[in-house]
Amino acid sequence: MVQASPEQDGSILGNGSPVEGATKDEKSVLTISEREERKLGAGRRRKKARRKARKKLRKEQAAVIIAQQELAAAQQAAATQSPAVEQFALAGAASMKRRHWGLIFSFMLMVLAPLVAVIFYLTAVAEDQYVSTAGFTVRSQENSGATDLLGGLANFAGSTTASDSDILYAFIQSQEMVEAVDARIDLRSEYSRHWPRDWAFSIWPDATLEELIWYWQRIVGISYDSGSGLIEVQAVGFDAEVSQVITQAIVDVSQIQINALNERAREDAMGYARTDLDEAVAQLKSAREELTKFRTRTRIVDPEADIQGRMGVMNNLQQQLAEALIEHDLLEGTVSEGDPRTRKSLQRIEVIRARIDSERQTFTSDNTDTGAVGEDYPSLISEFESLTVDREYAEEAYRAALTALSVARDNATRQSRYLATYIKPTLAQESEYPRRPLLAGLTGLFLLLIWSIATLIYYSIRDRS
């Protein structure tokens, strides 16, 4: 390479290009030098590019080797863990199978077809039904007070005695009620008019009494509140007039039943009152007879009066004795000792004292020689008091029995229980039954549940087999 002289430094640029004012030889020398430098730079770049390519190739080869090693290790691990696992190809596009078509057919057969049939029956075949409502309760005219208080305590204590409303609630559902209503309106002919067209809501013409009672539970609904005793009855019929006649018949027959219960209660009350009065009369007669026997035996009408008389005699004797003693004391102070008046005074005193002793013995002695009645007075008084108490008790029982009989007779003259109707039998203007949307919805729901359960059972058996 030719080196430029210092003198030529000013004519050469830093990039090797000739400067204006240089000679031809100098320009050629500079051009050759530039070409050589360019060649050297291109060689260096090619070497650098080759080195980069070799490095990149080595990295790619190393990555491929590592991936191959990892794949081999994974295959080996999979082979050691589950040697029986087979490799499957990817699943293809889903398509309808035979079982799928069978599932759709079963849904149409078990759900859609019955639902369509039910909807058609409800809309095109089923007849309209009308509802009549009546409400009533059993009232009593008995006075409140101690009876109601005792009744409230009995209810609080859990008494199991059935009320008139409970009896009436059971009676409305009984065979006797069905027979009574059927006697007023022929239920079989009224509810078999649409048979067999509307077979679901009608009854067959030759239904027996038991079947008619079963059908009665369908056409008559009863709502009963045991706390207040209110009873509400709803009757369903193909005609509004028929349903009203049924509810009116139920009210009338219930009133007859309450009257019968009331009559039976009055008869029982009168019978019990008469029985109590007869027992009281017999008891009073027996007590008076025993008292008469006592007076006949003792010849004493009233021992208390007799003893009061005897006590009067004793008091009189005591008074006479005191007067005789005073007179004797006065004589002793005025006369001598041998005076006849003194002896007479002493004799009178002794006689009075003897009489007092004899009277005292009559109270406790049973010796008739002393003037006693043959029995001691304490026993007689005790017996007389016992007989008197028996007679007084019999008299009070007799008065109570007479009062009870009078009250029972007063209650018998009026109706103590009656049927109070707070809702008279209504006459419907439009039909309420059958409730077609509700029945259709419930039918569809239950059919869907049955089909779902059957499908699950089928697939469970299929998976197990």
Side-chain angles (χ1 to χ4, degrees), residues 305-321:
D306 185 74
I307 198 171
Q308 288 178 0
R310 291 177 180 273
M311 291 300 298
V313 173
M314 286 288 296
N315 293 332
N316 191 14
L317 291 174
Q318 291 286 350
Q319 185 178 1
Q320 291 180 9
L321 178 62

Side-chain angles (χ1 to χ4, degrees), residues 22-93:
T23 61
K24 185 178 181 180
D25 294 336
E26 289 176 352
K27 290 180 178 179
S28 62
V29 172
L30 290 175
T31 303
I32 294 171
S33 175
E34 183 180 357
R35 291 176 179 173
E36 290 178 355
E37 288 180 358
R38 290 180 177 175
K39 289 180 179 180
L40 291 174
R44 293 193 194 97
R45 286 195 295 271
R46 285 195 295 271
K47 289 180 180 180
K48 189 176 181 180
R50 284 195 295 271
R51 285 197 299 272
K52 290 181 179 180
R54 285 195 295 271
K55 288 181 180 179
K56 185 177 181 181
L57 182 60
R58 285 196 295 271
K59 289 181 180 180
E60 291 177 354
Q61 291 176 354
V64 170
I65 293 172
I66 292 172
Q68 291 177 354
Q69 291 177 356
E70 291 178 354
L71 180 60
Q75 292 177 353
Q76 184 177 1
T80 55
Q81 291 179 0
S82 56
V85 176
E86 299 180 1
Q87 298 293 330
F88 296 97
L90 295 176

Side-chain angles (χ1 to χ4, degrees), residues 180-292:
V181 176
D182 188 44
R184 295 194 177 190
I185 174 174
D186 192 358
L187 295 175
R188 293 180 180 86
S189 61
E190 290 293 337
Y191 287 93
S192 63
R193 290 183 300 170
H194 305 287
W195 178 271
R197 182 172 177 269
D198 188 8
W199 55 268
F201 300 102
S202 301
I203 190 173
W204 42 99
D206 55 346
T208 62
L209 180 59
E210 287 74 15
E211 294 169 343
L212 188 61
I213 295 173
W214 167 81
Y215 189 74
W216 177 265
Q217 307 297 329
R218 295 183 56 188
I219 62 175
V220 175
I222 308 173
S223 176
Y224 173 54
D225 185 3
S226 59
S228 60
L230 301 179
I231 300 176
E232 186 172 329
V233 178
Q234 287 187 344
V236 180
F238 294 111
D239 292 331
E241 292 78 8
V242 172
S243 59
Q244 187 184 28
V245 169
I246 292 176
T247 52
Q248 186 63 50
I250 292 174
V251 173
D252 295 341
V253 175
S254 299
Q255 180 65 64
I256 295 173
Q257 180 66 17
I258 290 298
N259 292 338
L261 293 175
N262 196 27
E263 183 66 25
R264 190 177 303 117
R266 289 197 297 264
E267 292 177 358
D268 293 342
M270 289 291 295
Y272 295 148
R274 291 193 185 96
T275 302
D276 294 341
L277 181 61
D278 294 340
E279 292 178 357
V281 169
Q283 188 176 4
L284 181 59
K285 288 181 179 180
S286 176
R288 288 182 175 179
E289 288 176 359
E290 293 295 330
L291 190 60
T292 302

Side-chain angles (χ1 to χ4, degrees), residues 11 38 46 69 108 133 138 151 167 226 289 313 328 407 421:
S11 63
R38 290 180 177 175
R46 285 195 295 271
Q69 291 177 356
M108 296 176 62
T133 304
V138 180
I167 296 173
S226 59
E289 288 176 359
V313 173
H328 179 71
V407 172
T421 304

